Amino acid sequence: MFQQEAGLPAGSGRTDVISAAQRPGKGWHQKHYTRHKTVADVVSALTSGTGCGAVIVGEHGAGKSFIAQRALEQLGDDFLVVQVRGSSISSKLPYGALSVLLNELDASHLEHPLMVLRGLTQLLHTRAQGRSVVLFVDNAHDLDELSTMMVAQLCAGGHVLLLAACVDLPNLGSDIMGLWKDDLLRRVDLGPFDFSETEDSLAQEYGGHFSHTAARALWNASGGNALFLHSLAREQIKLGIIVRHEDSWVLGDRPVALAGEIRDVLKARLNRLSPGQRDVFELLSLAGALPLQTLMNVSKAQDIDTLQERALIRVSHDHPPMVSIANPVIAGIVSSVVPPGRSAELRRRLGAVLQDLDLDEYTGSTAVAWALDCGEEVDPHLALAAARLANKASDPQSALRFAREIAGREKLADVAVESARAFISMHNDEAARRILTDVEQRAGDGLALDEWASLHLLWAELDRRNPAAAASALARLQEIELRLTVSGDAGTGPGSVAERVRLAYVGLAAFEGRYDDVLQMFRDVDSTDLGSEAKIMAASLLCEAKAVTGDVLGAVALGRQVILAAGFLDLSDSSIRDIRGRFLLLLLLSAKFREAAEFIAGTSEAWDEQARLGGMFEIGQGIVDLHRGHLSGAVQRLQSGVWQLRVQDQDAVAGLATAACAYAYALQGDEEKAGALLVDVEEPQPRASWLVNRITRFFELSAKAEIGQKTEALRALKLEADSDTEASAFATGLQFLSAVARLGDRQASQKLSGLAEQVTGHFAGLCSRLAEGLKESDSEELLATSKDADAAGHAIFARDVTRKAVSCANDAGNRISLRMAQRTQQSLEDRFGNPRNGVLSLLTSTLTARESEVAVRAAAGTSNRKIADEMHVSVRTVEGHLYQVYAKLHVASRSELKDVISGPVEHARLG
C-alpha cells in the first residue's frame, strides 16, 4: 500500500512515503472492518488540532499496523504520510531507522544532531508542499536512541504529527515517552480481540458466518491475537478442520490442529523472550500451574513480572497464589515443541527446588502427563486423580491415557468409571458399555456398594441417551435405591450415594418431562442453599420444573441465583454446560429475549472452552434474532448452527436448530429452504430432553403455518396445547395456544385467557391481553399489546397481534384505528427481510387477490385506463374493484390509498 522510495537490507528500518493521490478513494473508509471506533480515535488524534498525534500500544500481532494503515487511509488531501519502521537491526545503528531520509541530505547535515534536525525539517517541508506531515513510526520500540530523539524533536517542534506503534511504552524511548507524559500524544491501547470482534473479523476475512463453536475454537486457541487468529484460521481451513457449508464455516470432527504456520508464529514470539523468560514460559507450559513462591525459587522475579505485564502468564488469587500460562492452548503448543532432553532438565531443576515436596501435589493432571512424557512411573492414586480432573475439564483423551497407566484390580471400578465417562463424552457409548460390562464380569459380587452404584448410575445415563433402552434408565435407578434401602448404608452428605441417586432421579424426570415428580422430590428442599455442585444442579432442574409448570417469575429469579452461585464453585464442564444451557432455554421459553441476548453475550465473552457453553449457545442468539424480526442475522446463525450440530451435538439440540432455521426461512418467504429443513426435522434425531422437543415442535408447526400449511398446523397446535395443559405443562401449552389464537382461531381466546392465568411473567400477560382483545374485538387494545410485545423483543408476536387488530378495526369500520393498525402492520411485516410482505399481508388479509392487484397499481399512480389495459379488463371493472377497495380499507381517495399502501408496485406479488 505504501510506495517504498529506498531501502536498507532486509530486517533493517526503512522509510516509505504516501501521498494523498496514492490513498484509496473517499468511499473506502465506509467499508466494514473490525475496530472502526479505534481507527476513528486515531484519526481524531491526528486531525483534532490538539496534541501532536497518537501512540498505538499492543502485543506483537495485535493489529497495530492494520489500525494505523486504516487511519492513515482516511486522511484527506492536506496530509503527507511518511512511514518509518524500526527493527532489531536498525536499533543497533545510529539513526538506523531514519537512514533512508538522511541519505538524501548533504553530508554536512550529519555532523551534529541539530544539523540533522534542521536537514530533516527542510526535507519534509519541501516534500509536503504546504501539507501537514504525518510521521508513522512502526515498531517504535525498536528505534535507536538518536532516532527516538529526532522523532520526538520533529514532533515537539510542530514539524510533524506523530503516529507511533509499539509493543509497550517502557521500551518506547524516553524522548517519545516524554511527549505522552506531557499529554501531547494520545495513547490508544489495542488489546486482544474479544469474542464478538473475533466473529466479525473472521466473517470479514473469509466471507460467510462462522459457527459459534468454530469461532470460539479459533478465539480460544489464538488468545484473541489478530495475527495468530488469522494464521490459525488459514491453516485450519487448509487442513480441512474448519469446513465451509454453503455460507457457513463449521468446526469438523477433529480439534484445532496446532502445527505448521501456527508453530512458526509461536516460535517467533518465543524468540522475542529473554532466556530467563523463556525458561519460565516453558516450565509453566509443562507443569500446568505452580505456586508463585515455588516459581520464584527457580526463576527471577523480574522475568515473572515481565511475562505477567505482557499478559502471557496469570497469577491467581488463591492461597497460595498459583501461576499459569494465560492461554492454555499456547501452553499446549509450547509443551509439545520442547525437546525431551530440555523437558527432563526443567523437571529436574524444579524437583531440586521442591526438594522433599511432591511436584505432582501442586500441578494435577498436567504434571502427571509431564511425568509420563519424561518416562517416569506415576503413582496409581495420582493417575486416577488426574483422570478425574481430565474428565472434569472435558479432556477425555487424557483421561483415557491416565486410566491406562493404572495396573491392578484395587482400582478396577474407579478406573472403569473414569474410562466410561471419557468414552461417553466422546460419544462412543458402545465402548463405554463394553467397559462397564467387562468390569462387572471381572469383579463379580466383590464390588463395594459405592462402586456398584457408580457403575449403575453410568448405566442409567447410557440408557437415557439411547432411545431403544430409555425405559431401562428408571428401572436401574430404582434398583440402586432398593439396594441402598436394604443395606441401610447410603449416607446423606454431599457426594453420598443417596445424594447422587436422588439427583439422577430428578434429572431423568426433568429429561422425560415429569415435572410434577421433580416438584414433589424437591418440596422440602432449601433452594437458597447452593453451596455444592449437587445442590446447584438440583436447583437448576427445579428452575425448569417451575417454569414449565407456570411459575416463570420464580424460575427466572432462582435461575439467576444458580448462575451466580455457579461462578463461585469449581464445577465440571458438563455441569456448568447443563446449568447454562438450561437457563438459556428457560429465558427463551419465557420470551425474555433481551435478557437472553445479554446472557449469551456476557457468557460468550468469557474465556471458557465451548465445552462449558454447549449447543444452546450455538443457536441461542439466532432464536433471539428470529423473535426480534432480525431475520438476516437469525438465518446466518441458525444455518451455521444446523451445520455445526450435525457434526457435534452433545446436547441433542440439532432438531431444535433445524426447526428454528426452517421457521426463519419461512418468515423470509423462502418456502423451498423452509420445506427442505422441515423434512430434516422429521428424520431420526439424538434423544433430546422433553423441553427441547416441545420447543422444536413449536417452531416446526409455526414454520408450516407460514408456508401454506396453516390448516394442518392449526390442528396440530391445538392438540399440542391440549396435551401440555393436561400434563400441567402450562408454559409450553401457552406457547402453542397463543400461536393458535394469533393464527386466526378466535375460539381459542377463551382457553387462552384461562391458561394465561396459570402462568406468571410478561409473556403470559401479553397472552391474556391478546385473549381479551380478541374476545372484545378491541383493535386499540390489540395494538397496545402489539406495541408492548415489540418493545419486549417479540416482533413475531407483535406482527400477528397487529394482523388481528387490522381485522377487528376493519370489521368494526373504525377508520382511524384501521389506519393506525395498517401502518403498524406494514412496518412490522417489512422488518422480516422481505419488503413485499407488508403490502401483501395487509392486502390479502382484507382484499381479494384481484382487488389487491388493482389497489397496488392504483396506489402507485397508475390510471384506471392503464390498469384496465394491463389486466385485460374493462375500465368499469377496474372502477368496481376500486369501489370495493375503498370500502374495505376505509379510504376515500387515491392519496389515502397510497398512504395505506406505501410499498412500490414491484414489491407486491401481483396476480
Side-chain angles (χ1 to χ4, degrees):
M1 188 170 295
F2 289 85
Q3 180 181 354
Q4 184 177 343
E5 295 188 337
L8 295 170
S12 63
R14 71 172 188 262
T15 305
D16 305 307
V17 177
I18 180 170
S19 67
Q22 293 171 291
R23 292 196 290 271
K26 292 182 178 180
W28 193 95
H29 67 277
Q30 297 175 351
K31 294 183 180 179
H32 183 77
Y33 54 86
T34 308
R35 291 184 167 172
H36 259 284
K37 186 179 183 303
T38 304
V39 172
D41 289 342
V42 174
V43 172
S44 173
L46 295 173
T47 60
S48 64
T50 60
C52 61
V55 54
I56 305 174
V57 183
E59 262 294 334
H60 292 286
K64 301 183 296 298
S65 298
F66 177 88
I67 294 297
Q69 300 288 14
R70 299 294 81 77
L72 295 175
E73 287 161 353
Q74 294 188 27
L75 298 179
D77 297 339
D78 296 332
F79 293 87
L80 173 73
V81 176
V82 177
Q83 178 172 341
V84 173
R85 183 176 294 110
S87 71
S88 57
I89 295 177
S90 67
S91 66
K92 298 176 175 62
L93 302 173
Y95 299 116
L98 302 177
S99 59
V100 175
L101 285 173
L102 297 180
N103 286 339
E104 300 188 29
L105 301 182
D106 188 88
S108 63
H109 286 90
L110 307 180
E111 296 176 356
H112 189 276
L114 288 177
M115 298 295 289
V116 173
L117 177 61
R118 182 179 302 170
L120 284 176
T121 301
Q122 291 175 348
L123 175 64
L124 293 174
H125 282 188
T126 300
R127 286 187 177 185
Q129 297 179 347
R131 292 170 291 174
S132 298
V133 178
V134 176
L135 181 61
F136 171 36
V137 183
D138 204 358
N139 294 335
H141 51 275
D142 280 333
L143 292 183
D144 62 279
E145 186 175 350
L146 288 174
S147 292
T148 300
M149 179 186 69
M150 204 54 56
V151 168
Q153 288 297 320
L154 287 169
C155 189
H159 305 296
V160 300
L161 291 165
L162 176 61
L163 176 57
C166 67
V167 171
D168 48 25
L169 284 180
N171 292 322
L172 189 56
S174 59
D175 293 291
I176 298 179
M177 272 285 287
L179 296 175
W180 172 69
K181 290 179 179 178
D182 293 338
D183 290 331
L184 295 175
L185 278 181
R186 182 185 302 180
R187 174 173 174 166
V188 178
D189 287 293
L190 205 60
F193 280 153
D194 60 26
F195 179 63
S196 61
E197 288 174 329
T198 296
E199 284 187 303
D200 185 53
S201 182
L202 290 170
Q204 291 302 313
E205 182 71 17
Y206 304 100
H209 184 79
F210 278 67
S211 73
H212 197 274
T213 298
R216 283 195 72 82
L218 293 172
W219 184 55
N220 285 129
S222 67
N225 181 278
L227 174 63
F228 202 1
L229 171 70
H230 289 292
S231 296
L232 190 66
R234 284 192 299 271
E235 185 141 310
Q236 305 316 298
I237 292 171
K238 180 180 177 180
L239 293 172
I241 292 172
I242 289 182
V243 184
R244 184 160 192 156
H245 293 283
E246 298 179 354
D247 293 330
S248 301
W249 292 97
V250 302
L251 182 66
D253 57 1
R254 292 179 291 162
V256 167
L258 304 168
E261 180 183 351
I262 304 309
R263 293 198 178 194
D264 293 340
V265 171
L266 185 57
K267 286 179 180 178
R269 294 179 69 182
L270 287 175
N271 287 338
R272 298 189 184 101
L273 301 178
S274 69
Q277 293 166 4
R278 185 160 185 162
D279 281 354
V280 174
F281 204 84
E282 291 181 345
L283 185 60
L284 289 174
S285 296
L286 292 163
L290 287 171
L292 177 58
Q293 187 58 53
T294 298
L295 188 60
M296 292 180 69
N297 289 337
V298 75
S299 305
K300 294 180 180 179
Q302 183 179 358
D303 292 329
I304 299 172
D305 291 341
T306 301
L307 291 174
Q308 187 179 7
E309 288 172 3
R310 296 177 62 179
L312 294 176
I313 65 174
R314 60 188 172 199
V315 181
S316 74
H317 298 290
D318 300 330
H319 298 286
M322 302 294 289
V323 189
S324 60
I325 301 295
N327 187 332
V329 178
I330 292 179
I333 301 176
V334 173
S335 64
S336 69
V337 299
V338 175
R342 176 160 172 77
S343 175
E345 177 199 348
L346 288 170
R347 189 166 177 83
R348 283 194 300 271
R349 284 171 54 186
L350 184 59
V353 170
L354 291 174
Q355 296 177 350
D356 296 332
L357 298 176
D358 189 346
L359 170 64
D360 298 319
E361 177 183 342
Y362 294 107
T363 52
S365 59
T366 306
V368 171
W370 188 15
L372 293 175
D373 291 339
C374 290
E376 299 178 14
E377 289 189 9
V378 176
D379 181 89
H381 291 87
L382 284 175
L384 181 58
R388 288 185 179 128
L389 287 173
N391 273 328
K392 184 177 180 179
S394 299
D395 185 7
Q397 291 83 4
S398 293
L400 290 173
R401 180 192 183 189
F402 299 144
R404 284 192 287 267
E405 293 296 320
I406 303 171
R409 295 176 58 86
E410 71 279 2
K411 297 290 180 182
L412 186 64
D414 291 335
V415 172
V417 166
E418 296 308 323
S419 299
R421 282 178 178 156
F423 280 120
I424 288 173
S425 66
M426 295 167 67
H427 300 281
N428 191 343
D429 290 4
E430 188 59 36
R433 288 178 183 275
R434 285 199 301 269
I435 286 174
L436 295 180
T437 300
D438 178 67
V439 73
E440 287 179 339
Q441 291 175 347
R442 290 168 60 191
D445 297 329
L447 291 174
L449 175 60
D450 183 63
E451 295 174 327
W452 177 86
S454 295
L455 293 177
H456 275 258
L457 284 170
L458 276 178
W459 271 118
E461 173 65 16
L462 286 166
D463 290 342
R464 181 181 70 80
R465 292 157 58 97
N466 184 0
S472 302
L474 180 60
R476 287 188 184 276
L477 295 179
Q478 291 171 337
E479 182 181 0
I480 301 173
E481 190 175 44
L482 177 61
R483 182 164 173 178
L484 293 179
T485 302
V486 172
S487 68
D489 186 27
T492 57
S496 66
V497 175
E499 184 184 58
R500 286 186 286 149
V501 172
R502 186 186 191 193
L503 189 59
Y505 256 124
V506 175
L508 180 62
F511 185 84
E512 295 178 343
R514 294 182 282 108
Y515 294 109
D516 285 341
D517 290 350
V518 175
L519 295 174
Q520 178 67 19
M521 282 185 270
F522 281 154
R523 65 185 184 278
D524 298 325
V525 170
D526 179 9
S527 59
T528 62
D529 181 6
L530 303 175
S532 69
E533 181 166 341
K535 290 178 179 179
I536 286 179
M537 290 296 296
S540 176
L541 292 165
L542 180 59
C543 284
E544 182 177 327
K546 281 176 170 286
V548 173
T549 55
D551 186 8
V552 171
L553 290 177
V556 171
L558 178 57
R560 292 176 186 137
Q561 295 177 32
V562 168
I563 293 296
L564 182 63
F568 291 97
L569 293 180
D570 182 22
L571 304 184
S572 67
D573 284 3
S574 59
S575 293
I576 195 67
R577 183 177 69 244
D578 286 348
I579 290 166
R580 288 170 169 173
R582 187 172 292 113
F583 184 61
L584 179 53
L585 202 62
L586 164 62
L587 293 176
L588 295 175
L589 174 66
S590 56
K592 289 186 171 294
F593 302 120
R594 184 173 290 106
E595 183 174 350
E598 292 172 353
F599 178 61
I600 292 169
T603 308
S604 295
E605 290 297 344
W607 283 102
D608 285 353
E609 297 287 344
Q610 181 67 23
R612 294 174 67 84
L613 300 185
M616 280 307 302
F617 283 82
E618 189 67 66
I619 58 174
Q621 187 60 51
I623 294 176
V624 170
D625 289 343
L626 165 66
H627 283 291
R628 285 178 167 177
H630 303 160
L631 292 189
S632 178
V635 165
Q636 284 185 331
R637 294 179 183 278
L638 291 171
Q639 185 63 76
S640 67
V642 168
W643 287 115
Q644 184 63 69
L645 291 167
R646 288 177 180 176
V647 179
Q648 304 173 20
D649 187 21
Q650 57 188 347
D651 301 310
V653 293
L656 172 57
T658 305
C661 193
Y663 190 26
Y665 275 122
L667 289 167
Q668 275 192 330
D670 194 333
E671 297 184 7
E672 182 178 353
K673 288 186 176 179
L677 286 167
L678 287 173
V679 171
D680 292 342
V681 172
E682 296 175 357
E683 295 295 320
Q685 304 282 349
R687 190 170 187 235
S689 71
W690 182 91
L691 183 54
V692 167
N693 284 332
R694 300 313 287 155
I695 299 178
T696 301
R697 181 63 169 162
F698 172 79
F699 282 132
E700 177 190 4
L701 296 176
S702 297
K704 287 182 176 181
E706 288 285 336
I707 63 171
Q709 302 177 34
K710 184 175 178 180
T711 302
E712 173 192 344
L714 264 175
R715 186 183 306 113
L717 284 165
K718 290 178 185 178
L719 291 174
E720 302 294 359
D722 289 342
S723 172
D724 285 2
T725 303
E726 290 175 7
S728 299
F730 299 125
T732 52
L734 188 64
Q735 293 279 353
F736 287 114
L737 194 58
S738 74
V740 173
R742 283 156 33 210
L743 286 172
D745 188 337
R746 293 196 176 187
Q747 295 180 349
S749 62
Q750 190 63 40
K751 281 187 176 181
L752 184 63
S753 179
L755 184 54
E757 293 177 357
Q758 302 295 314
V759 182
T760 63
H762 184 67
F763 179 72
L766 291 175
C767 290
S768 181
R769 292 170 62 187
L770 168 61
E772 187 63 24
L774 290 175
K775 179 181 177 182
E776 302 296 332
S777 295
D778 187 341
S779 59
E780 293 181 0
E781 173 62 22
L782 291 172
L783 268 180
T785 303
S786 168
K787 180 179 179 180
D788 288 349
D790 191 25
H794 205 333
I796 297 176
F797 189 99
R799 180 205 65 170
D800 293 345
V801 174
T802 304
R803 287 177 176 178
K804 301 299 109 187
V806 169
S807 178
C808 290
N810 186 67
D811 292 344
N814 187 337
R815 187 171 176 178
I816 296 176
S817 183
L818 176 62
R819 188 70 53 83
M820 292 175 60
Q822 288 169 337
R823 289 173 180 168
T824 303
Q825 180 187 352
Q826 188 169 333
S827 174
L828 285 165
E829 299 277 6
D830 288 347
R831 193 184 303 174
F832 287 86
N834 188 347
R836 70 187 180 193
N837 283 349
V839 175
L840 177 65
S841 179
L842 174 61
L843 298 182
T844 56
S845 64
T846 310
L847 309 178
T848 67
R850 213 58 162 152
E851 289 167 354
S852 296
E853 187 173 356
V854 171
V856 169
R857 294 181 188 275
T862 309
S863 67
N864 288 358
R865 167 60 64 185
K866 189 173 182 180
I867 294 174
D869 291 342
E870 292 175 350
M871 296 180 63
H872 306 291
V873 296
S874 68
V875 174
R876 181 170 295 181
T877 300
V878 172
E879 292 172 346
H881 284 318
L882 275 177
Y883 177 81
Q884 293 296 325
V885 168
Y886 288 177
K888 290 182 177 181
L889 296 183
H890 298 278
V891 298
S893 65
R894 283 181 179 240
S895 62
E896 291 186 4
L897 180 63
K898 184 178 181 180
D899 187 42
V900 171
I901 306 174
S902 60
V905 67
E906 62 265 26
H907 287 162
R909 185 182 297 163
L910 303 177

